[in-house]
Amino acid sequence: MADPLDFYSLDNLRFILNTEFECVLASRDAVREAISDYYGEITGLDAMIGELGGEEVGIRDGDLEVAGLEAGDDAPVIKLVNLIITEAVKKRASDIHIEPFENRLRVRYRIDGICVEQDAPPKRLQGPIISRIKIMAKMDMAEKRKPQDGRIKMMIQGREIDFRVSSLPARHGESVVLRVLDREKALVDLEDLGFHHSDLERFERIIRRPNGIVLVTGPTGSGKTTTLYAALKKLNRPDVKIITAENPVEYNITGINQAQVNHKIGYDFARILRAMLRQAPNIILVGEIRDEETANIAIQAALTGHLVFSTLHTNDAPSTIGRLIDMGVKPFLAASAILAIMAQRLVRRLCEVCKEPIDPPLSLMRAVGLSEEELGGRQIYGAVGCEECLGTGYRGRVGCYELMEMTPELRDAVFHNATTHRIRELAISSGGMTTLQRDGVRKVLDGVTTIEEVLRITHRQDLVLTS
């Protein structure tokens, strides 16, 4: 056994077998392999799909009735869904996409931000697979015309993992996405996120200010929540009261009061914010600013002695000011309340086992604004691919950050409704802001990622300012 302190299982075995026995310590993988060898358990997704391909599962019209889902005939479908989920966790996937098309059902894992297609189950199993997931997520089985959200909690590889489930009715059936919420990977320290040492020092100094608002921006899946949780983890002490308003609460953090949005009863961000201000918090986290009311309450809270963290969907740090003003926030309030805005993206980290030195073409170096003088004889690495990284050349991800700290010059520019281009120029000249692309280039020079990855997440128009 892998855990010799599992006395409950040992006592159960003694009772069932009616005999005494001795334990031998083995790794979890060795135990799993032994079970597979002796009992013929299917361990691979492709093997399971191969078995189901020629097997009748007893489904009429490609759909499954609620009453019959747990029947013995349909146990293979239950095993298949569990295997799809388990394989995703083993391969470090952040999302599982189950997408129905006219003649096939596609399963993809998002690994390190890139969708990778997996062996597809037969089209006729589309109904049972989606129905099984909806039952696990406690969603309405009969409702197939409206989008739904749910949550699954499973024990995989000895640890508890949550899955946020979303279903969207599409042309050929419901498209289902499971977001993998792995607490061990999400609740990381600020030092492990990939900040350059100068940005890390600035960010730590900013988040220790007593009041003001700190905004983290970027598209969905760019690691904004992970960054904010890392900041809260750093600030979480017994003498500090922290309240969060989230939609939904993704990870539970000990010592922090977390409130979840519930639109059905009108319990939205604005209402939670108004209520939490009466709870006398020191630090507030608002999951997302998406309307004028939430934006104004968050800014008022920042101006009345609270430190506020929140996220916003914008392309870069300077354009966030324009987005807030467009929402209805007055320029003088934005100028007074905002401490800093940080835009971020995730780039894939090179696999340490197989990465190799390369001589990049001059055109590629120009594309990221990297000159030969700046290279200065330093080595640039490229992706190769091995078993460790599943043949991709990358393993894991690291953040690229654009931290815009509000200086007196910037506050004056925002107060006078300056253009985004002017704000960007001032942030670089007076605030020492490093653009997303330049931070990416620093990571290329450090051998952490590749030029191709930096180009994948940044805009070419940055070249004017970074050259």
Side-chain angles (χ1 to χ4, degrees):
M1 63 193 304
D3 181 10
L5 300 178
D6 185 2
F7 301 119
Y8 180 76
S9 297
L10 291 173
D11 290 341
N12 271 350
L13 273 173
R14 286 191 183 97
F15 178 76
I16 293 164
L17 300 173
N18 194 25
T19 185
E20 284 294 325
F21 51 80
E22 289 184 6
C23 286
V24 177
L25 188 64
S27 70
R28 288 186 189 278
D29 289 340
V31 172
R32 283 197 196 97
E33 282 176 23
I35 291 170
S36 177
D37 290 343
Y38 287 99
Y39 297 97
E41 182 185 289
I42 296 166
T43 54
L45 188 55
D46 51 350
M48 168 68 95
I49 289 167
E51 282 212 350
L52 285 173
E55 184 180 314
E56 285 301 321
V57 190
I59 301 131
R60 275 191 310 216
D61 301 322
D63 213 337
L64 195 66
E65 296 299 324
V66 182
L69 190 65
E70 299 291 348
D73 290 340
D74 300 314
V77 173
I78 295 171
K79 282 184 189 172
L80 177 59
V81 170
N82 288 344
L83 202 54
I84 287 171
I85 292 172
T86 306
E87 285 284 307
V89 173
K90 281 183 185 173
K91 291 181 177 179
R92 304 176 293 104
S94 60
D95 300 90
I96 305 167
H97 298 262
I98 297 170
E99 304 158 316
F101 294 100
E102 188 174 3
N103 300 315
R104 68 187 185 110
L105 181 67
R106 182 166 73 175
V107 176
R108 293 191 293 173
Y109 296 159
R110 190 179 289 279
I111 302 170
D112 294 334
I114 305 294
C115 283
V116 181
E117 195 160 341
Q118 306 298 309
D119 293 305
K123 172 71 175 174
R124 60 190 176 80
L125 295 182
Q126 175 182 315
I129 287 170
I130 290 170
S131 297
R132 174 63 189 162
I133 291 169
K134 287 171 82 172
I135 278 183
M136 292 169 77
K138 296 180 175 59
M139 291 154 76
D140 184 355
M141 278 272 302
E143 182 55 76
K144 297 178 182 177
R145 301 165 303 162
K146 296 178 184 174
Q148 292 189 68
D149 293 306
R151 201 168 182 126
I152 298 171
K153 191 171 281 191
M154 290 180 74
M155 189 67 78
I156 298 174
Q157 294 181 329
R159 63 185 195 269
E160 198 175 77
I161 295 176
D162 281 359
F163 298 86
R164 207 170 77 206
V165 186
S166 167
S167 74
L168 177 74
R171 174 72 181 84
H172 300 290
E174 288 176 284
S175 171
V176 176
V177 177
L178 291 84
R179 166 68 66 89
V180 183
L181 303 173
D182 190 344
R183 181 195 292 251
E184 283 185 17
K185 291 178 183 173
L187 298 179
V188 296
D189 295 322
L190 274 176
E191 292 79 8
D192 302 326
L193 292 177
F195 279 103
H196 189 265
H197 62 85
S198 59
D199 284 342
L200 179 63
E201 285 173 15
R202 288 169 66 209
F203 190 64
E204 285 195 338
R205 175 169 47 78
I206 288 162
I207 65 172
R208 294 191 187 281
R209 299 274 287 274
N211 59 280
I213 187 163
V214 178
L215 295 169
V216 180
T217 82
T220 305
S222 59
K224 300 187 296 293
T225 305
T226 303
T227 300
L228 287 178
Y229 277 2
L232 291 186
K233 193 177 170 187
K234 178 74 77 174
L235 300 171
N236 189 14
R237 301 191 311 271
D239 60 330
V240 176
K241 170 124 180 167
I242 303 174
I243 307 181
T244 74
E246 301 172 65
N247 183 25
V249 173
E250 292 190 4
Y251 305 98
N252 297 317
I253 310 175
T254 307
I256 293 177
N257 304 275
Q258 295 171 276
Q260 181 159 313
V261 168
N262 186 346
H263 290 295
K264 289 178 184 174
I265 58 170
Y267 193 53
D268 54 15
F269 281 121
R271 192 166 178 183
I272 295 173
L273 256 173
R274 278 194 294 268
M276 69 165 60
L277 289 174
R278 292 194 288 272
Q279 298 263 318
N282 301 103
I283 298 167
I284 294 168
L285 166 66
V286 186
E288 185 184 345
I289 291 177
R290 55 176 70 178
D291 55 47
E292 182 182 352
E293 188 179 14
T294 310
N296 278 317
I297 297 170
I299 282 180
Q300 292 297 338
L303 291 170
T304 53
H306 304 89
L307 181 61
V308 181
F309 292 98
S310 192
T311 70
L312 211 64
H313 290 282
T314 57
N315 287 329
D316 54 19
S319 62
T320 306
I321 301 288
R323 176 86 182 96
L324 284 171
I325 292 168
D326 184 51
M327 274 184 182
V329 175
K330 301 287 189 296
F332 71 90
L333 288 176
S336 307
I338 295 170
L339 290 176
I341 300 168
M342 186 168 73
Q344 69 175 75
R345 298 289 189 282
L346 295 176
V347 292
R348 290 184 291 172
R349 191 191 289 268
L350 276 165
C351 174
E352 292 295 331
V353 177
C354 65
K355 70 177 184 181
E356 284 184 356
I358 60 163
D359 290 320
L362 204 57
S363 58
L364 206 59
M365 288 173 59
R366 280 206 194 105
V368 288
L370 180 59
S371 63
E372 289 185 34
E373 294 78 30
E374 193 179 355
L375 192 59
R378 295 169 77 176
Q379 190 63 63
I380 289 180
Y381 290 86
V384 179
C386 64
E387 283 186 16
E388 190 72 23
C389 58
L390 305 175
T392 61
Y394 300 94
R395 183 175 172 83
R397 287 189 287 178
V398 65
C400 284
Y401 301 95
E402 180 176 276
L403 181 57
M404 184 177 91
E405 188 177 357
M406 294 296 279
T407 60
E409 292 88 349
L410 269 173
R411 290 188 196 281
D412 190 55
V414 172
F415 183 83
H416 289 100
N417 224 348
T419 63
T420 300
H421 183 69
R422 177 65 184 146
I423 289 171
R424 173 181 284 275
E425 285 180 337
L426 278 172
I428 293 169
S429 61
S430 71
M433 182 183 85
T434 304
T435 64
L436 280 168
Q437 196 167 70
R438 293 307 297 168
D439 193 40
V441 168
R442 288 193 299 206
K443 288 172 173 60
V444 169
L445 293 172
D446 289 340
V448 174
T449 190
T450 61
I451 294 176
E452 290 86 351
E453 275 296 292
V454 176
L455 284 173
R456 185 173 65 83
I457 59 113
T458 56
H459 297 286
R460 298 269 174 153
Q461 66 237 34
D462 290 355
L463 302 180
V464 180
L465 293 165
T466 55
S467 57

